[in-house]
């Protein structure tokens, strides 16, 4: 029996039941041979074979369709009770069938009570068939048939109850093991989350104590230097203002990083478009290049905002150092599956396969951490196109999540 209709299903399952199923079919075949060999051809032999065939057929159907709503194990047990009574009356090797099918009451009975009821019915049917065959009671009948049958039944009950107890203990043990494994997995996940939180806190302290303090010092020095300049030196003043503006923006970014250490998934305080626009405007002012910017105003979490800003800064830095371009384009747009940042230039270009720069590799890794990707397209003399894609939740899912 490969599948059973009781609590023993999960425990006995595969190997043991397949072996018992093979043995059971062999025993059924031997019973049929025994009925034919020990009885003369005639109506009683054919009736015994018919009863045995009914048992085999019902057993095969229950085995083949264990979960079918119209195929119940109780039907098989009922047929088995009738067949045992009939074979006992016909002298058709009922005792052998009783021994072979004794485990079935416990395998197909969904509860111990059901198993006991059908086993009791089978015992009563067998004894009734034997009484009708013997035409009454006798001392020999009582000692040879009744006592031996009751002994077999008692042994079967004890074995069945013991097997049920073993099954229950095995299931309880399996549940405890599952709970232990789930608890260990939860503890491991909690340790990982705690480790990540501790690392974020450490990085926040480092940023606050080093970068933020350094940017604040640069701002103070730039203000002091600009205050002491000759008003006629306009170029130096513009450069100092640019230094001061850069330091202020980076100080704001550093403070934002420190503030987001406890909640890395929160939405950034400022618009990513505004942040990128300040970066682009400062780049245009410092380089004198023509910058065409199309920046869609969209909301995103802090990690995505930082990734887009760093990709923009790195791409513009590469244009400044290598491209010798006259025009730069920056486009930020929301699409169905996320946000895309595109930076293009009309510079000298390069062979992408030959590039081993740290900047492009750093952008790829940063985007990969967010599930995004970086695509670089360029050739010598044809400019360069850098496309950064980051997946974001769709507006519909964000609204439904907010509504919930």
């Amino acid at each position: 029996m490969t599948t059973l209709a009781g609590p023993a299903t999960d425990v006995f399952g595969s190997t043991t039941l397949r072996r018992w199923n093979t043995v059971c079919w062999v025993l059924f075949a031997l019973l049929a041979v025994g009925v034919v060999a020990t009885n003369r051809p005639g109506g009683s032999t054919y009736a015994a074979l018919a009863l045995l065939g009914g048992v085999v057929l019902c057993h095969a159907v229950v085995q083949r369709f264990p979960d079918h709503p119209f195929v119940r194990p109780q039907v098989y047990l009922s047929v088995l009770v009738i067949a045992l009574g009939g074979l006992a009356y016909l002298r058709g090797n009922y005792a052998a069938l009783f021994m072979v099918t004794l485990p079935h009451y416990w395998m197909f009975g969904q509860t111990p009570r059901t198993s006991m009821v059908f086993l009791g019915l089978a015992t009563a049917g067998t004894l009734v068939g034997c009484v009708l065959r013997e035409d009454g009671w006798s001392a020999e009948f009582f000692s040879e048939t009744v006592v031996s049958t009751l002994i077999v039944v008692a042994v079967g009950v004890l074995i069945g109850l013991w097997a049920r107890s073993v099954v229950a203990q095995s299931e309880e043990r399996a549940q405890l093991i599952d709970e232990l494994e789930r608890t260990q997995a939860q503890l491991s996940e909690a340790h990982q989350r705690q480790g990540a939180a501790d690392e974020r806190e450490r990085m926040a302290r480092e940023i606050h104590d080093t970068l933020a303090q350094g940017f604040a010092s640069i701002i103070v020095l730039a203000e002091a230097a600009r205050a002491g300049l000759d008003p006629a030196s306009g170029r130096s003043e513009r450069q100092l203002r640019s230094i001061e503006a850069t330091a202020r923006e980076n100080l704001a970014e550093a403070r934002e990083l420190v503030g987001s250490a406890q909640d890395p998934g929160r939405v950034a305080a400022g618009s990513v478009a505004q942040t990128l626009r300040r970066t682009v405007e400062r780049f245009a002012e410092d380089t004198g290049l023509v910058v065409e910017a199309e920046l869609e105003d969209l909301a995103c979490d802090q990690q995505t905002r930082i990734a887009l800003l760093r990709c923009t800064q790195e791409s513009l830095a590469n244009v400044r150092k290598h491209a010798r371009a006259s025009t730069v384009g920056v486009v930020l747009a929301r699409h169905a599956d996320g946000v895309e940042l595109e930076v293009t230039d009309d510079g000298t270009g390069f062979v992408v396969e030959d590039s081993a720069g740290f900047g492009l590799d750093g952008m790829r890794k940063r985007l990969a951490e967010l599930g995004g990707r970086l695509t670089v397209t360029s050739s010598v003399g044809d400019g360069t196109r850098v496309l950064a894609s980051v997946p974001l939740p769709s507006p519909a899912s964000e609204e439904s999540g907010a509504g919930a």
Side-chain angles (χ1 to χ4, degrees), residues 150-164:
L150 293 178
I151 291 175
V152 171
V153 171
V155 172
V157 169
L158 292 176
I159 294 176
L161 292 176
W162 173 79
R164 287 270 181 182

Side-chain angles (χ1 to χ4, degrees), residues 45-190:
T45 301
Y46 298 146
L49 290 175
L51 290 172
L52 182 59
V55 171
V56 173
L57 178 62
C58 289
H59 179 265
V61 171
V62 172
Q63 176 196 343
R64 180 64 179 82
F65 305 102
D67 299 323
H68 196 282
F70 299 106
V71 179
R72 302 294 183 183
Q74 290 83 354
V75 175
Y76 166 67
L77 295 178
S78 301
V79 172
L80 186 56
V81 169
I82 296 172
L84 285 170
L87 289 173
Y89 176 74
L90 297 172
R91 300 176 182 269
N93 291 341
Y94 75 93
L97 181 62
F98 200 106
M99 295 294 293
V100 170
T101 58
L102 187 59
H104 290 189
Y105 298 99
W106 301 100
M107 291 180 175
F108 290 103
Q110 296 180 345
T111 63
R113 182 177 179 180
T114 302
S115 301
M116 294 287 289
V117 168
F118 277 103
L119 185 56
L121 292 175
T123 304
T126 300
L127 294 177
V128 169
C130 291
V131 169
L132 295 177
R133 182 191 67 195
E134 297 292 335
D135 294 328
W137 292 84
S138 65
E140 182 181 2
F141 170 76
F142 182 82
S143 62
E144 293 182 357
T145 304
V146 177
V147 173
S148 61
T149 300
L150 293 178
I151 291 175
V152 171
V153 171
V155 172
V157 169
L158 292 176
I159 294 176
L161 292 176
W162 173 79
R164 287 270 181 182
S165 175
V166 171
V167 168
Q169 293 177 2
S170 299
E171 289 183 340
E172 183 179 358
R173 189 179 299 110
Q175 291 176 357
L176 291 175
I177 292 174
D178 290 340
E179 292 178 1
L180 178 60
E181 291 177 349
R182 286 196 298 269
T183 302
Q184 290 176 339
Q186 292 172 356
L187 287 175
S188 177
E189 184 178 354

